[in-house]
Amino acid sequence: MKKNVGKIDRTLRFFFGLFLVWLGLFVLNGKEGEIIGILVAMISLLPFYIAFTRSCFVFRWFKIHSLSKKECEIYGQPNSETKE
């Protein structure tokens, strides 16, 4: 899987995931069994997954990336046609 999510983007996605967990469990009462709170907390898995794998499927569809020049040197160009 090609890396296409940069360090700043990963950090923002991680904190957005934490925010969704907090929102779902505490603000929307997911920890007390409210369905909408549980669903919001479960949606937080997506930003966490993207942050940990460093790969975003939407970025791949549009052939964009958020890697810095240095990260492109380390991981290679994310939009090249070669498979890993």
Side-chain angles (χ1 to χ4, degrees), residues 10 24-25 28 37 42 44 47 51 59 63-64 72:
R10 287 179 63 211
L25 293 181
L28 299 175
M42 288 177 61
S44 72
F59 280 8
K63 297 187 186 305
I64 59 175
C72 283

Side-chain angles (χ1 to χ4, degrees), residues 64-82:
I64 59 175
H65 64 85
S66 62
L67 298 173
S68 67
K69 288 182 182 180
K70 185 175 182 180
E71 290 170 324
C72 283
E73 291 172 5
I74 295 170
Y75 302 122
Q77 283 295 331
N79 299 328
S80 64
E81 297 299 320
T82 59

